[in-house]
Every structure is written in structure tokens, then in C-alpha cells.
Amino acid sequence: MSSDQPKKEISAIKGTHDILPEEARLWQLAEARAREIFELYGYRELRAPVIEPTELFEKGTGASSDIVTKEMYTFVDKGGRSVTLRPEYTPSVVRAIIEHRLDLQSQPLRYYYMGPMFRYDRPQKGRYRQFHQIDIEVFGEKDPAVDAEIVEMAHRLLARLGVEDVLTLVNSVGCKKCRPAYGQELRQAALAARDKLCPDCQRKAEVNPLRIFDCKNEVCRQVASGFPLIIDFLCAECRDHFHKFREYLDLYGIEYRVEPTLVRGLDYYTKTAFEIVAEHLGAQNAICGGGRYDDMVREFGGPDLCGIGFAMGLERLLSVARIQVPKDSFVYFAYLGDQAKKESLRLARVLRSEGIECLVEFRDRGMKAHFSRANKLGADWVLIIGEDELKKGKYQLKDMVNSRQFEGSALELAGIIKGKKILEIG
Ligand code: HAM
């Protein structure tokens, strides 16, 4: 290529985003609050790889789900293996449990994780190709009390993030015992109405008619509103589980709405399914989705270990969160001359060891220029080192927020900055 050709800019891949430092502060805060809350309930972090064998999701997420049929980032690696950038986290945790025999530990097992997921969907507001989930999973607890506890925990996190105006939708999608009879009835109804459905739902009518309820097409929604509902087909066990789940939600004082067409877009759910939506978010308004999956571990060849969990989309969460990041507090070094520069570098080491953020810039400046730079950067403190200070071994510290000035040794000033000791001189 000739060197005078205009250079083509390389930009981020469609549907992916950079999170720049100012915004990253919000992410850190939200993640820290999530971590804090999950640990309060006994959850511990489990980190799994971003790439997994493709069959993990084909089998776990489900062969008929939109995710597997249309949205996976799948490729063949140099070793000829088909690998996939995880579109969700749940199957990875199940794999890790079986691989590391975590089921041998005392149950229930409670895990959480935060990280990127990948789905090749049409990007739009609230829907990205690389997005981030906060995910929690519990294994080995059949009691519907845990179903309600995770919903309550999700609400606690939302409250902590200042998220308001949410609606919690709950349903039961039955189990292996009661779903087949329902599936038959539903398929019959779907096939009878086939001509009215969109091409995608015509296919779903054959392979998995439950998925028709997920369709956003208005005509399909209209048709589906006349379909039989799973709730009327639940076996005694599922009915009882759903009843108790709702009783526990009432106990926690959580408002919810039973949404009989809520089936969720993944194949593995059994019994409880739920979503939390932020009503004002528009089309992509689900900020949290989850449910029970009592068969997945066994279907992967593991022990008979039931599971339940949820995932929140961090991008959507942050778009409705009302949190304020505390301002960064740091010391700017205003020095004059080479000796004072060296002393600044030495002092910064001392202060950093005391846990104080320091900024020493290397460009030569006069005192006035130092102060205007410190102001521009928003420094809370300016440490002044000129000839006098060097001689005395005591430094001037200017509190930029309260316009006070102090004098002291490095450690005395560290004490002041940390709010321990005040030695005001002016
Ligand atoms: P999901 O409903 O597919 O469930 O995703 C959970 C949440 O991730 C959604 O409610 C949404 O906030 C966010 N999300 C999903 N796709 C996108 C996207 N393309 N762009 C931005 N945000 C998105 C699961 O993933 C299950 N693994 C949840 C679960 C855990 N069930 C049991 N355990």
C-alpha cells in the first residue's frame, strides 16, 4: 500500500463499546455494590473462561433457543475445535461444578460473577453484541424460599443502585412431568394458527411453540394471547412450588405480577421463571431475568443437583441506576527546580505508601502554572516544594477545597490528608 493513501481508522466492532475512565467509575461502583450484597447472602465469586466448547451452549442454553440458532459467536480454533464466546454464563457454571466436583461441597452452593457476554443480535439501544452481566446461581436447594430469596436479593441490589419503577414478572414454566401435555396442546393451537404467524414463529410452531410467546411481532402476540397457558397444566408439585414461591415473595413484601406468557428465551427453565423490567426503558426493558433449572446438571452427566439463578444486564442497569461516584481525591505536587522535583518523587512514594493518591508531573512549570494545572485537574490538595521547604524539610500543603494551608513533615501532612491531625498555620 502506498504511504500517501489516507489511513483508515480502525474502530470498535459494531455492537461493542469502550468504557472510558469516567464511566468506568460508575461500573466499578455498581460492581462493588453487587459484590457487597451477594457476599451478604453467602455468595462467592466463580470465574469461568470467556470461550467454551460450542456444545456447552448447544446443550445447555438449548438447541431451539434464538441464542443458539442465531446469535452465537462461534468459530473453529487453530486446533480444529468449535469454540464459542459465551452468550450467557449459566452453562459455564454448570460445567465448572461437574468438572471440579463442587457438588461434593456442602450445599447449597452459591456463586456470582460479573463479566462480558456475546450475542450476535441486531444492535440497538439496550442491546449489544458484547454486553455485561451480573450473574448469580444457586445449586442444591429445592425449597421455593430460595427462589424468593434471589428475587429479594435482586431487589436489594436495584434499591442500592437507585433503580426505581421496576416491575417484577413471575411465572412457572412447569417441569418434565407436566410440560409435555401442555406442549402438545400448545403445538396444536400454534399449528392451527400457523398461517397468521410470522415466518420465524411458523418455524417455532414446529420445533418449540413456547418460543412464540417471546415474539415481539404484534400479530403474533395477538394470536398467542389465545393459546393455552402453562399455568393451567402444572402438575401438583409445580403448582405447590409456585404457590409457596409467591407466599415467600409476599413475606418479603415484594410486589410482582403473575405473567402467564413469560417463558424466557432459554430452553432450560423448570418451575420458576421471572423477569424484572424497567418500564420506561422501551423495547429492551428487561434488566434482570432468571429462573430455576432443575435438570441441567444431570443432563450434562453430573449429579442430580437442582439450580436457580438470574442475570442482570449491566448496561441496562446503569442506564436506569441513580448512583453518584465520589470525587477522586489526590495530591498535586507543585515543585520548583530539579532538587524539588526529586524530593517530590521521594515524597510521593511516602504518601502513596500511606494510601494517598499522588500526581507528580514531569514538565517544568512556574508556581502559578502549577496551581492552574492543579485546578484544572481538580486536585484536592497541592503540596508545595520550593527552596525554603527543601531547606526546612517541612512542606506546605494547600487544601484546595477549603482554602486552608498547613505546614509539616511528609508524615504529618499524610496525617492531615487522611483527616487525622490538623496543624493549621494560615
Ligand atoms: P437473559 O434473559 O438472556 O438470561 O439475560 C439476562 C439479562 O442480560 C437481560 O435481562 C438483559 O438485561 C441482559 N441482556 C441480555 N442480552 C443482552 C444484550 N444483547 N445486550 C444488553 N443486555 C443484554 C440469561 O442470560 C440467563 N443466563 C439468566 C439466568 C441465570 N438464568 C438462570 N441463571
Side-chain angles (χ1 to χ4, degrees):
M1 205 200 286
S2 113
S3 59
D4 30 272
Q5 259 184 344
K7 286 202 190 93
K8 196 164 170 275
E9 246 178 58
I10 301 177
S11 17
I13 288 172
K14 194 172 167 199
T16 73
H17 297 277
D18 298 309
I19 301 160
L20 301 179
E22 213 173 305
E23 205 194 338
R25 275 275 186 257
L26 275 178
W27 284 66
Q28 288 168 343
L29 188 61
E31 286 164 356
R33 290 191 176 168
R35 210 167 255 130
E36 196 185 293
I37 286 174
F38 298 158
E39 302 253 347
L40 278 180
Y41 290 74
Y43 288 74
R44 296 295 177 260
E45 190 171 15
L46 187 156
R47 299 188 189 198
V50 169
I51 51 171
E52 294 275 11
T54 302
E55 58 179 317
L56 180 72
F57 303 109
E58 286 172 346
K59 216 169 147 187
T61 310
S64 77
S65 65
D66 275 358
I67 294 180
V68 171
T69 53
K70 300 187 228 163
E71 299 171 4
M72 292 214 294
Y73 274 92
T74 296
F75 59 96
V76 176
D77 74 5
K78 288 188 179 14
R81 286 170 290 257
S82 179
V83 296
T84 293
L85 293 178
R86 60 182 182 206
E88 58 147 341
Y89 201 58
T90 313
S92 297
V93 186
V94 168
R95 179 197 50 66
I97 286 180
I98 298 171
E99 201 166 327
H100 304 286
R101 292 307 314 262
L102 298 175
D103 56 291
L104 298 178
Q105 300 180 359
S106 80
Q107 293 159 16
L109 306 164
R110 291 183 156 95
Y111 303 119
Y112 72 89
Y113 176 73
M114 296 165 216
M117 307 290 151
F118 304 84
R119 294 185 193 176
Y120 193 86
D121 204 348
R122 197 170 46 80
Q124 55 173 273
K125 188 170 173 286
R127 189 160 76 195
Y128 311 103
R129 289 184 173 167
Q130 175 176 332
F131 61 99
H132 298 75
Q133 280 187 346
I134 297 184
D135 182 285
I136 68 102
E137 312 287 349
V138 187
F139 294 89
E141 184 55 83
K142 282 191 169 30
D143 196 316
V146 83
D147 305 33
E149 188 187 75
I150 68 169
V151 176
E152 189 265 336
M153 185 169 76
H155 274 259
R156 186 183 293 271
L157 177 56
L158 295 178
R160 191 85 172 80
L161 297 178
V163 178
E164 284 169 1
D165 300 327
V166 293
L167 185 61
T168 304
L169 307 170
V170 302
N171 194 21
S172 173
V173 295
C175 68
K176 279 234 159 82
K177 275 186 274 163
C178 48
R179 222 171 15 216
Y182 170 64
Q184 254 178 3
E185 291 259 342
L186 181 63
R187 178 166 285 115
Q188 267 175 13
L191 290 174
R194 206 170 181 273
D195 296 345
K196 296 186 207 135
L197 298 170
C198 73
D200 201 27
C201 286
Q202 290 189 359
R203 184 186 58 83
K204 290 175 180 171
E206 301 280 353
V207 292
N208 189 349
L210 262 188
R211 289 280 90 80
I212 297 174
F213 289 119
D214 299 333
C215 186
K216 298 266 189 265
N217 182 312
E218 212 26 70
V219 180
C220 295
R221 276 172 172 273
Q222 195 68 41
V223 175
S225 67
F227 286 173
L229 297 169
I230 178 73
I231 208 106
D232 299 321
F233 287 76
L234 295 181
C235 63
E237 189 188 317
C238 288
R239 221 176 313 124
D240 182 56
H241 190 97
F242 192 47
H243 178 72
K244 288 188 172 135
F245 166 53
R246 293 174 56 188
E247 272 184 352
Y248 286 117
L249 286 179
D250 293 338
L251 178 94
Y252 283 127
I254 291 180
E255 286 178 27
Y256 60 88
R257 191 169 85 197
V258 176
E259 186 70 55
T261 59
L262 177 77
V263 292
R264 311 262 306 120
L266 307 113
D267 285 356
Y268 47 69
Y269 290 114
T270 53
K271 297 193 172 87
T272 308
F274 67 93
E275 263 177 20
I276 304 177
V277 299
E279 291 178 278
H280 51 290
L281 261 189
Q284 306 303 320
N285 66 357
I287 49 176
C288 176
R292 189 167 266 282
Y293 48 95
D294 289 346
D295 303 325
M296 201 199 298
V297 182
R298 196 174 2 91
E299 281 170 2
F300 269 111
D304 191 6
L305 195 66
C306 58
I308 183 166
F310 67 69
M312 292 186 179
L314 253 166
E315 286 81 359
R316 291 186 199 173
L317 201 53
L318 285 170
S319 72
V320 289
R322 280 209 250 132
I323 44 175
Q324 271 220 311
V325 177
K327 185 186 162 301
D328 292 327
S329 170
F330 65 94
V331 181
Y332 178 93
F333 282 71
Y335 58 84
L336 290 177
D338 200 46
Q339 261 318 98
K341 174 181 175 183
K342 287 186 177 138
E343 186 60 5
S344 298
L345 297 176
R346 200 189 62 79
L347 269 180
R349 264 172 73 85
V350 176
L351 295 189
R352 285 181 187 131
S353 301
E354 294 292 315
I356 295 166
E357 183 180 333
C358 295
L359 182 67
V360 188
E361 292 199 323
F362 304 129
R363 191 191 296 181
D364 253 352
R365 287 192 173 94
M367 206 37 89
K368 213 170 144 210
H370 268 310
F371 268 89
S372 76
R373 177 82 179 141
N375 264 323
K376 196 169 162 203
L377 294 172
D380 275 2
W381 305 92
V382 175
L383 205 131
I384 304 155
I385 311 181
E387 262 177 43
D388 280 357
E389 285 78 16
L390 274 180
K391 267 192 223 138
K392 280 201 271 185
K394 295 218 172 210
Y395 313 93
Q396 304 287 324
L397 178 71
K398 177 135 198 208
D399 176 345
M400 302 290 279
V401 182
N402 301 306
S403 303
R404 292 175 305 177
Q405 192 146 324
F406 309 91
E407 187 183 68
S409 67
L411 285 179
E412 282 167 342
L413 296 182
I416 291 170
I417 294 167
K418 287 158 86 181
K420 283 189 195 142
K421 204 162 111 192
I422 305 288
L423 192 74
E424 202 158 352
I425 58 157

